[in-house]
Amino acid sequence: MLTSMQPIRDRRDRVVGYAVSTCPTSRYAGGIDTDDDARQLVDMVSALSRLAGRSLVVPVTPAIVRDGALTRFASTDTVWMVATDALDDPATRRAVDRLVGAGCHFALQGFPEGEPLPPSLAGSTIVLDAARTPPSTLESRLRVLLDAGLRPLVRGVDNRLTRHRVVLSGGTLYSGRPLARGAGVPVDRDAEASVRRAVTMLAAFADGRPTDASFDSYVQDDPHLSASLLRAVGSASMAVRGPRSVTHAITVLGRDVIMDQLVSVTARLIGDAAQDPELSFMALRRARACERIGAALDNAPHPRMRLLAGLLSTLEFALGASAPMLAEQLTLPAPLRDAMVERALPVGQLLDVIDALENGWWDDFIARCVRLGIAPAVVTDAWLAAWRSARDELGIARAEPST
């Protein structure tokens, strides 16, 4: 089953969980069995929960609710999402009551316009779709839900205007496409400058040519970047403790190792510039996914090229400037400029595939995989592996906030 997880944020823009999105295998293999697809997803929940490290919102069908399959997950940090109108069926309603009593948590997809919700669902999450609801209707429904003591989660919040409306109406949770850094976020000019310098440095060697002394001077001339690299190479996993300088670290480990460390350091700096740790994770996850998936391409771009493309795809969210504008400002080889603007070349098309996966645009995802000549399952497997790798590299532990 093709699976993605989209961040759920609170009104302070902190990530508090992930909404699971799936493209059932039956959707592109012929035939549709939504209950069987739901069972496959339920079987994946334990693994996804460990991978995410946060609360998950997982869609299920009424049949799965009724057959008792969810009972074994009562101790997991999972919220099961079922269509609100499914409660019109008495058997499903009774099953929800039983599962809530057993410790399960539910979210309802769709505004409850029929019978009153059962007492067992007091305070539950109600999922609304901003893309399918007129703004005035969305605002009024949010107020009704909040007055009733329910927790709205608004999906499809794909721009800052919609986010502003949701928050102004009292909305507590939202998900959607990544948004550019807000105007209220403090600007960290040092982090921004270091991001640009690091990207320029990575781009200079993106074609795979050997690094040389110019790489050393690139790093040493930026105290912020040097300090970040020293912290990275001084970690236990690098087997080098207390390097005296970047030059010392390069001498001991070699430039190629430091170059690879610079990828994770740049991802951290991207998050610092946006004041958003999740963006660091997203940047490194995309970089590692591009590295893995791109290996399946004919005439694959060099791994450094693929890694940098993943990082570049998040710059507009961190620096508050459009991708075309950044492409003009940065010194990049042609394939990477294309990846930031037109996406007509393979490395750009690779980013298109990852965008579709992360946003749950499943029809587009499958079409883009076909255009690139990569099996959809290869992409999702690599993306999940990249998720795990990025968490380990950034040392992300299980977070406290929960949906």
Side-chain angles (χ1 to χ4, degrees):
M1 175 172 287
L2 308 180
T3 307
S4 184
M5 293 184 285
Q6 191 171 55
I8 298 171
R9 295 178 180 268
D10 64 13
R11 59 189 301 121
R12 294 167 60 187
D13 273 343
R14 300 177 306 172
V15 174
V16 296
Y18 294 97
V20 177
S21 175
T22 62
C23 175
T25 303
S26 59
R27 187 165 177 176
Y28 62 92
I32 295 177
D33 186 339
T34 54
D35 290 335
D36 184 59
D37 291 331
R39 288 188 184 91
Q40 290 184 50
L41 177 57
V42 168
D43 288 340
M44 296 171 60
V45 162
S46 293
L48 291 175
S49 183
R50 289 192 298 270
L51 186 63
R54 297 181 188 269
S55 179
L56 296 180
V57 175
V58 179
V60 290
T61 62
I64 301 300
V65 174
R66 293 192 298 267
D67 71 11
L70 305 183
T71 306
R72 69 184 191 273
F73 297 99
S75 61
T76 63
D77 193 3
T78 303
V79 179
W80 305 103
M81 184 175 69
V82 66
T84 302
D85 58 14
L87 297 181
D88 295 342
D89 171 50
T92 301
R93 198 177 181 99
R94 289 193 299 270
V96 168
D97 282 339
R98 286 196 303 271
L99 288 167
V100 170
C104 292
H105 301 279
F106 281 88
L108 300 178
Q109 184 177 11
F111 187 77
E113 298 186 87
E115 297 182 14
L117 298 180
S120 60
L121 292 178
S124 292
T125 300
I126 307 294
V127 182
L128 304 177
D129 191 335
R132 300 182 180 180
T133 310
S136 59
T137 303
L138 179 63
E139 292 168 9
S140 63
R141 287 183 171 181
L142 284 171
R143 287 190 286 268
V144 168
L145 294 174
L146 291 165
D147 289 344
L150 297 163
R151 303 178 69 207
L153 164 58
V154 184
R155 299 194 305 185
V157 177
D158 294 337
N159 55 69
R160 288 220 157 261
L161 177 59
T162 303
R163 181 196 174 279
H164 177 71
R165 286 173 173 156
V166 168
V167 172
L168 200 63
S169 301
T172 53
L173 301 170
Y174 72 92
S175 67
R177 296 183 65 180
L179 301 179
R181 182 181 66 194
V185 174
V187 176
D188 187 336
R189 297 299 183 193
D190 288 340
E192 286 189 357
S194 293
V195 167
R196 292 172 182 270
R197 177 174 286 272
V199 165
T200 300
M201 193 184 323
L202 289 168
F205 301 96
D207 59 0
R209 67 185 178 87
T211 51
D212 53 32
S214 64
F215 174 77
D216 306 13
S217 60
Y218 260 128
V219 179
Q220 293 165 342
D221 289 345
D222 188 325
H224 193 187
L225 188 55
S226 296
S228 298
L229 265 173
L230 285 176
R231 285 194 296 271
V233 301
S235 67
S237 62
M238 294 300 296
V240 177
R241 293 189 178 275
R244 295 185 298 273
S245 64
V246 173
T247 300
H248 176 217
I250 290 173
T251 301
V252 173
L253 297 169
R255 291 193 180 101
D256 286 345
V257 172
I258 300 302
M259 175 74 81
D260 193 57
Q261 278 299 113
L262 185 59
V263 173
S264 60
V265 166
T266 304
R268 287 184 186 277
L269 291 171
I270 287 171
D272 291 346
Q275 300 292 299
D276 183 359
E278 183 70 14
L279 196 56
S280 294
F281 178 42
M282 177 184 173
L284 188 55
R285 184 180 71 233
R286 286 189 170 198
R288 294 303 178 197
C290 282
E291 180 184 33
R292 286 174 164 82
I293 301 166
L297 295 175
D298 293 333
N299 301 316
H302 192 275
R304 290 179 189 162
M305 185 82 70
R306 305 196 302 265
L307 286 165
L308 183 52
L311 297 177
L312 289 172
S313 70
T314 65
L315 278 195
E316 62 182 311
F317 311 126
L319 302 184
S322 68
M325 182 181 298
L326 290 169
E328 288 294 324
Q329 296 171 357
L330 298 169
T331 303
L332 301 172
L336 291 175
R337 286 199 303 275
D338 172 82
M340 294 194 73
V341 184
E342 299 294 338
R343 294 191 175 180
L345 301 178
V347 70
Q349 293 174 6
L350 184 56
L351 290 175
D352 269 347
V353 167
I354 293 173
D355 273 349
L357 171 64
E358 293 200 334
N359 288 291
W361 303 332
W362 295 115
D363 290 337
D364 285 344
F365 171 69
I366 293 168
R368 292 172 186 183
C369 286
V370 170
R371 180 178 65 171
L372 207 52
I374 296 180
V378 169
V379 177
T380 53
D381 288 349
W383 184 78
L384 291 172
W387 184 298
R388 187 177 299 106
S389 174
R391 286 186 64 85
D392 291 345
E393 287 185 63
L394 295 174
I396 299 174
R398 187 175 180 83
E400 292 301 321
S402 172
T403 57

